[in-house]
Amino acid sequence: MGEFDLIARYFTRPVHRAALGIGDDCALLQPAPGTQMAISCDMLVQGRHFFADTDPRRLGHKSLAVNLSDLAACGAKPLAFTLALALPEVNEPWLAAFAEGLFALADAHGCELIGGDTTAGPLNICITVFGEVPVVNGTSQALLRSGARAGDNLYVSGTLGDARLALEALQGKLSVPEAVLAVVRERLQRPTPRVALGQALRGIASAAIDVSDGLIGDLGHILERSRVGAIVQVDQLVQCIACHAQAAQTDDASDLHLSQEQWRALALCGGDDYELLFTAPTSQSAAVATAARASQTPVRRVGRIEAATGLRLIDDQGKVLPNHYASFDHFA
Ligand code: ADP
Ligand code: MG
């Protein structure tokens, strides 16, 4: 099968929102009047971001999910995406499963594949997403990293640390009971981009980011761009680890023996969660709760923004903890 048959068979689908899809030199997008286009690009490299034997259906899902998560962090509504694919060989069952996972998530968000590039090479998946954010009275409603102010509350959606726990288990560094692994592997391989929450937070959140490299690092980006500091209640974060709750509930999961320090490190440094980390003024507390309910996304308050720069970690007694945690950096 040649390049063009491959594109036609697995990736060409009719478009409804874009003005022109696959088949020409350019695709054409028509942003709705009064909107700006939000654009983000993420690459997934075999051996770096996923294992060679990863289920292609899950890989298709995750490739788009990590991109939709960036749109979510900006409060943007997904519109379309492009797919640049390097493939070591034409493996039709693999392609069919990859496309199935990819399009299932795309369809769930009304996000259309409008173009891309296909080449032979080591497996590499690069997606660019396009989304819309409204402009109201000349002001963009996009959520940025730079808007956090002293006194704002700090929130996180869903659960943190589970994906990292799955990674450690799959790499054989930690022994994790089957029941727990089933839960956390799903979080690692089929993350849920918080697209509805991101849009619901427009006009409410003062700053937002998605947690891809771990809370410490990603919160650091908000603090730096907003020129503020923060205090984080670490044990509130540990409550955000799904398998932590599960460990307390099921017999099998009680075999999961992690120290308090390990739980804290998972919550603070674990990456690949694709949750939203955001700030909002205290006057918006009720609106945050409403946005969480409307988007059916759990949200937890985990700290506060302060004028003094830097990050302070405290335990549930309010005692300051040493901050020796580092987040993921591909070149560190
Ligand atoms: P060009 O030579 O102009 O780069 P190509 O011949 O590479 O165009 O691609 C032909 C068409 O197929 C274009 O519309 C391109 O966007 C689309 N396309 C190529 N690869 C992919 C892919 N992996 N997924 C979706 N569309 C693709
Ligand atoms: Mg090309």
Side-chain angles (χ1 to χ4, degrees):
M1 168 176 292
E3 176 186 337
F4 298 103
D5 294 332
L6 186 161
I7 297 164
R9 176 152 330 160
Y10 293 105
F11 298 113
T12 306
R13 306 199 344 176
V15 294
H16 305 284
R17 299 175 69 198
L20 182 66
I22 291 171
D24 223 295
D25 289 304
C26 290
L28 297 173
L29 279 181
Q30 182 70 62
T35 66
Q36 279 179 338
M37 196 153 276
I39 301 165
S40 180
C41 176
D42 259 310
M43 181 156 65
L44 273 79
V45 177
Q46 180 178 313
R48 240 309 124 181
H49 299 95
F50 59 90
F51 301 115
D53 62 353
T54 301
D55 170 15
R57 206 169 276 100
R58 290 171 179 224
L59 191 57
H61 172 101
K62 183 164 179 175
S63 306
L64 182 58
V66 302
N67 280 278
L68 291 176
S69 177
D70 286 319
L71 290 184
C74 281
K77 179 179 168 191
L79 180 59
F81 67 106
T82 61
L83 169 68
L85 203 52
L87 297 169
E89 58 177 341
V90 178
N91 174 340
E92 291 210 59
W94 190 96
L95 277 165
F98 176 83
E100 193 181 305
L102 180 81
F103 285 122
L105 184 65
D107 291 348
H109 291 282
C111 194
E112 299 179 331
L113 180 59
I114 55 166
D117 200 20
T118 306
T119 164
L123 184 58
N124 188 321
I125 304 154
C126 183
I127 287 182
T128 301
V129 276
F130 303 85
E132 290 173 336
V133 248
V135 177
V136 176
N137 297 326
T139 304
S140 172
Q141 300 297 292
L143 304 176
L144 304 180
R145 299 176 177 183
S146 52
R149 297 293 172 260
D152 286 359
N153 284 320
L154 178 68
Y155 301 89
V156 66
S157 69
T159 72
L160 290 182
D162 298 291
R164 176 61 177 271
L165 183 60
L167 183 65
E168 302 272 333
L170 293 174
Q171 290 178 330
K173 293 185 193 160
L174 272 181
S175 150
V176 174
E178 265 310 313
V180 176
L181 185 59
V183 173
V184 296
R185 200 207 290 118
E186 199 65 8
R187 295 278 302 145
L188 175 68
Q189 297 181 341
R190 292 190 82 257
T192 304
R194 301 300 191 180
V195 175
L197 176 65
Q199 291 173 75
L201 288 172
R202 289 195 305 239
I204 296 170
S206 47
I209 190 169
D210 67 321
V211 182
S212 52
D213 297 332
L215 180 128
I216 293 273
D218 291 319
L219 175 57
H221 295 309
I222 288 187
L223 301 185
E224 195 175 308
R225 294 297 288 270
S226 300
R227 298 168 197 272
V228 290
I231 185 156
V232 167
Q233 296 158 330
V234 176
D235 295 320
Q236 277 296 310
L237 275 182
V238 169
Q239 300 304 318
C240 293
I241 306 179
C243 61
H244 184 266
Q246 172 138 354
Q249 279 165 18
T250 69
D251 278 355
D252 182 27
S254 63
D255 295 340
L256 178 60
H257 298 295
L258 296 185
S259 66
Q260 183 184 50
E261 180 56 26
Q262 283 176 309
W263 284 117
R264 286 174 174 170
L266 279 179
L268 289 167
C269 316
D272 253 2
D273 293 307
Y274 303 100
E275 295 295 347
L276 294 187
L277 176 68
F278 62 96
T279 61
T282 52
S283 60
Q284 297 283 7
S285 298
V288 168
T290 304
R293 227 175 303 118
S295 59
Q296 299 186 335
T297 310
V299 163
R300 187 185 291 262
R301 179 176 173 269
V302 296
R304 198 178 55 239
I305 298 297
E306 299 179 320
T309 56
L311 174 59
R312 286 156 291 282
L313 303 174
I314 55 168
D315 68 10
D316 51 10
Q317 259 85 58
K319 198 172 115 246
V320 176
L321 300 169
N323 182 358
H324 48 249
Y325 303 94
S327 77
F328 191 73
D329 178 332
H330 281 281
F331 295 102

